[in-house]
Amino acid sequence: MALFARTSKDLIIRIDDFIDNVELGLLVFREGLKSYLDKDREAFNRHLHKVDVLENNADRLQRSIENDMITHSILPQHREEVSRLIDELDEIIDSIKSSLKEIDIEQPDIPESLKKDLISLAETSANAAEELIPAARAYFKAPYTVREKLIKVYYFESETDKISTTIKKHLFQDIKDLELSRKNQLRYIIHNIEKISDLAQKAADLLSGMAIKIMM
Amino acid sequence: MILLFLTSGLFLGWSLGANDASNVFGSAVGSKMITFRKAAIIASITVILGAVIQGAGASDTLGKLGGVNAIGGSFTLALAAATTVYMMTRISLPVSTTQAIVGAIIGWNLFTGNRTDSGTLSKIVATWITGPLLGAGFAILLYILTTKIKRSAGIHIIKFESYLKTSLVIVGAFGAYSLGANNIANVMGVFVPAFNLEELDLGLFSLSSSQQLFLLGGIAIAIGIITYSKKVMETVGGNIIELTPEAALVVVLAQSIVLFIFSSSALSNLFVRFGLPPIPMVPVSSSQVIVGCVIGIGLYKGARNINFRLLGEIGIGWIVTPVISGLFAFFSLFFMKNIFNVEVGHKITGLNSVPQTITGAADAEMSGIIRYLLLGILIAGTIAILFYYFLDRKKTRELKVSEEKFWKNLKKRQ
């Protein structure tokens, strides 16, 4: 009996830790992008390193959570979905890391007129993922509140789409003195930032179904 | 020769373990809350404890239906019931050993010209109806209660599941204990008058003649659980309705309550004290109760997800089991008496109702054989449990080491 309790307690802590890592990753992502746009190289490197550590931690936790759920036969009927949810959340932090890493490798020169919009895009996209966090936590404690929490995820995701379209239009239609190759490079940066909210929406869809299933 | 006669009882015990253990741990195993191996170990130990500690009380219940007064008859009835249960188990239908033995006893009554006590028979048949109904009622009530507690308490689902798992093990162990205490009479009850073994002193406690027989029967049930109950457990847990873990707990708990009600003389006395009619002390078919519990939850959740075809098959099994067992017993008794010349019993007139017993000299020899047999089985069982424990520990350790190695290598590469 004590074994069950200890394993469950450890697992709950690890799932919380994992979600904390994703949540922190989103905060660091915002700050990292801002520091790049402010041309504060040192702060950017610090944030990049922090995201790297968080992503590694998340990977380690993901693996140990999945292992323990299988070996101790925990949540047998919902194990597959919980693993998928953790996988989707991990995709978000992976995407954050690769997004910052690409900026670090490519060092894109961002026109002044785009900076404000890019910050707004990053804020909104990260907001969508951030709103997913309380919903994911609620799944484990109060599954009947999950769906109401997910409404904000869908809202921020559609806002992200709108901002992204506006930026792309501005980039390709209004800014004339930029080479097409650089425009393409920026398009991928925008796409990577936008991807965070898309992944949040994907996880929200999964979570929504999971909440219904667990309440049945 | 006596040991040969005992084999049919042991076979019946094995059939009971293979089939009825699913009523206790089937829901937990079917919903994958507990692995079959763990369930089998817990059920085996508690079923033996139940049989040895509390088995004596229920052994005279079936005697009222028909007093089998020859060892050859006991052997044949146990064999007929065991074969019926085995056949039904082969086609994965949860059948009741009580029904099989009741059918066999009626077959013996018909063969020997004895009158079947209609009062006792109607009491038993009545529990075949009230048992599942009570089970369904308790299951619905407990399910509503559990889901309400779960919703209002706001417990983390993993913690909740951990509580459920612990409860399933405790309730399952209690259920298996009750199963051993109640149903050992079906397995060994007919043999008790034929054996007069020396008391077995084990230092801390000693086992009487009937307790030694119950221990043997309990071990046979345990072997049935370990070797053959997996398939039936999966049928009970997964095929009738898809059970959630809390539904699994509710099903086992509701069934245990019903079994408790029909076997507690204290509760029956309490009823009488309050001016209510006494509760009949009749062996309840746990297979029927469990199906009632599962249907109860199914109806509460909306009957759409119940596998009615399987329920129909189980219903047919309920009618077919006593009929087949009775017919099988009748014809077996005929062959045993007329072809093998074995005394299978005779009409009870009041003077000749004492069963055949063995002489004192044979008992001393028999005691020695049974003593060594029991000690051998106990030692083998202990070794098997220790082996399983260390194997499990080794596996966990290996997993931990491989995990550490994986992360170490990953770090090195980075």
Side-chain angles (χ1 to χ4, degrees), chain A:
Chain A
M1 305 312 110
L3 183 73
F4 286 152
R6 201 177 62 228
T7 313
S8 303
K9 213 173 163 185
D10 283 355
L11 194 63
I12 292 168
I13 292 169
R14 264 177 284 149
I15 289 174
D16 275 344
D17 272 359
F18 175 83
I19 298 175
D20 287 348
N21 272 279
V22 179
E23 199 170 17
L24 266 175
L26 288 162
L27 284 173
V28 178
F29 168 71
R30 276 201 191 101
E31 293 307 310
L33 190 74
K34 273 181 199 162
S35 56
Y36 181 80
L37 294 173
D38 291 343
K39 294 193 167 50
D40 184 350
R41 190 70 200 168
E42 198 190 322
F44 177 77
N45 284 339
R46 204 175 55 242
H47 288 125
L48 183 63
H49 175 70
K50 182 77 184 157
V51 163
D52 202 33
V53 172
L54 288 169
E55 196 266 341
N56 277 339
N57 278 347
D59 275 351
R60 183 186 287 264
L61 286 165
Q62 181 192 9
R63 193 178 152 90
S64 74
I65 290 164
E66 282 171 6
N67 275 359
D68 268 12
M69 280 175 53
I70 295 166
T71 49
H72 298 287
S73 190
I74 291 170
L75 293 178
Q77 300 199 319
H78 308 288
R79 186 164 58 216
E80 213 173 293
E81 283 117 338
V82 171
S83 293
R84 265 181 66 203
L85 176 67
I86 286 171
D87 212 33
E88 295 290 347
L89 290 171
D90 188 60
E91 287 268 309
I92 293 174
I93 196 160
D94 282 352
S95 171
I96 288 169
K97 184 184 160 185
S98 65
S99 187
L100 286 184
K101 214 145 210 176
E102 270 178 34
I103 292 173
D104 181 47
I105 295 163
E106 295 176 16
Q107 305 271 322
D109 188 11
I110 294 164
E112 208 58 42
S113 61
L114 277 183
K115 282 184 179 172
K116 209 178 148 194
D117 287 341
L118 270 180
I119 289 173
S120 166
L121 179 73
E123 282 282 345
T124 321
S125 190
N127 277 345
E130 264 177 355
E131 290 301 335
L132 180 74
I133 303 296
R137 290 193 203 275
Y139 171 78
F140 295 99
K141 281 191 171 175
Y144 45 90
T145 64
V146 166
R147 287 165 74 84
E148 66 199 51
K149 289 185 197 302
L150 291 176
I151 294 168
K152 285 182 182 172
V153 179
Y154 294 115
Y155 168 76
F156 281 118
E157 196 277 332
S158 82
E159 283 302 301
T160 310
D161 279 353
K162 283 177 201 163
I163 297 169
S164 154
T165 311
T166 313
I167 298 174
K168 281 178 195 164
K169 270 186 183 168
H170 177 60
L171 177 67
F172 284 96
Q173 292 171 10
D174 304 336
I175 302 174
K176 306 284 182 196
D177 56 342
L178 208 64
E179 287 166 28
L180 186 63
S181 58
R182 280 185 61 201
K183 283 183 180 179
N184 267 335
Q185 184 192 25
L186 286 173
R187 184 176 67 180
Y188 281 112
I189 301 288
I190 293 163
H191 173 77
N192 282 340
I193 297 170
E194 195 188 351
K195 196 180 164 192
I196 295 168
S197 70
D198 289 339
L199 288 170
Q201 190 191 28
K202 203 176 156 205
D205 288 341
L206 173 71
L207 201 51
S208 174
M210 285 167 69
I212 296 170
K213 197 181 164 194
I214 205 162
M215 285 186 295
M216 288 294 283

Side-chain angles (χ1 to χ4, degrees), chain B residues 218-239:
Chain B
I219 290 166
I221 298 174
I223 292 170
I225 294 171
I226 293 163
T227 56
Y228 217 81
S229 67
K230 195 175 179 182
K231 202 176 169 190
V232 187
M233 280 196 188
E234 280 158 5
T235 307
V236 168
N239 284 14

Side-chain angles (χ1 to χ4, degrees), chain B residues 38-316:
Chain B
K38 267 183 197 154
I41 289 173
I42 295 166
S44 299
I45 293 169
T46 47
V47 95
I48 293 172
L49 287 176
V52 176
I53 298 168
Q54 220 177 297
S59 64
D60 66 328
T61 317
L62 291 174
K64 287 178 188 167
L65 192 66
V68 183
N69 49 19
I71 300 163
S74 307
F75 166 80
T76 314
L77 296 196
L79 186 68
T83 311
T84 309
V85 172
Y86 175 74
M87 278 180 352
M88 304 301 275
T89 309
R90 279 289 290 183
I91 47 173
S92 291
L93 290 180
V95 290
S96 159
T97 312
T98 310
Q99 278 175 337
I101 203 93
V102 164
I105 289 172
I106 294 170
W108 181 84
N109 282 344
L110 288 173
F111 184 78
T112 53
N114 281 300
R115 198 179 63 88
T116 302
D117 181 6
S118 57
T120 311
L121 183 64
S122 58
K123 261 186 194 174
I124 292 171
V125 173
T127 62
W128 294 0
I129 300 159
T130 49
L133 286 176
L134 268 177
F138 279 124
I140 292 171
L141 282 176
L142 288 168
Y143 188 74
I144 293 170
L145 197 71
T146 317
T147 42
K148 280 213 168 143
I149 290 170
K150 189 185 175 185
R151 200 184 161 108
S152 57
I155 309 169
H156 197 286
I157 55 165
I158 292 174
K159 199 182 256 181
F160 183 76
E161 201 216 43
S162 159
Y163 294 150
L164 275 178
K165 226 180 228 186
T166 311
S167 311
L168 272 171
V169 169
I170 294 167
V171 173
F174 172 65
Y177 178 89
S178 307
L179 186 76
N182 279 305
N183 285 18
I184 195 68
N186 294 341
V187 176
M188 284 286 150
V190 284
F191 294 96
V192 171
F195 281 80
N196 184 21
L197 303 168
E198 288 171 0
E199 205 166 87
L200 181 62
D201 192 5
L202 293 169
L204 288 173
F205 56 91
S206 57
L207 297 177
S208 68
S209 171
S210 56
Q211 279 178 318
Q212 288 175 53
L213 282 178
F214 292 155
L215 178 58
L216 266 180
I219 290 166
I221 298 174
I223 292 170
I225 294 171
I226 293 163
T227 56
Y228 217 81
S229 67
K230 195 175 179 182
K231 202 176 169 190
V232 187
M233 280 196 188
E234 280 158 5
T235 307
V236 168
N239 284 14
I240 302 168
I241 179 178
E242 212 175 292
L243 287 175
T244 59
E246 55 263 41
L249 175 72
V250 162
V251 163
V252 181
L253 192 58
Q255 180 217 210
S256 302
I257 291 171
V258 174
L259 284 173
F260 176 80
I261 286 173
F262 282 110
S263 51
S264 169
S265 50
L267 192 69
S268 180
N269 291 340
L270 197 73
F271 264 54
V272 175
R273 205 178 295 166
F274 283 107
L276 296 162
I279 303 166
M281 293 295 103
V282 183
V284 181
S285 161
S286 52
S287 310
Q288 292 166 6
V289 178
I290 202 102
V291 173
C293 298
V294 175
I295 292 173
I297 292 178
L299 288 173
Y300 175 72
K301 289 174 82 175
R304 276 172 303 175
N305 47 356
I306 294 177
N307 185 345
F308 283 105
R309 194 175 160 220
L310 187 78
L311 278 182
E313 282 175 14
I314 292 167
I316 291 166

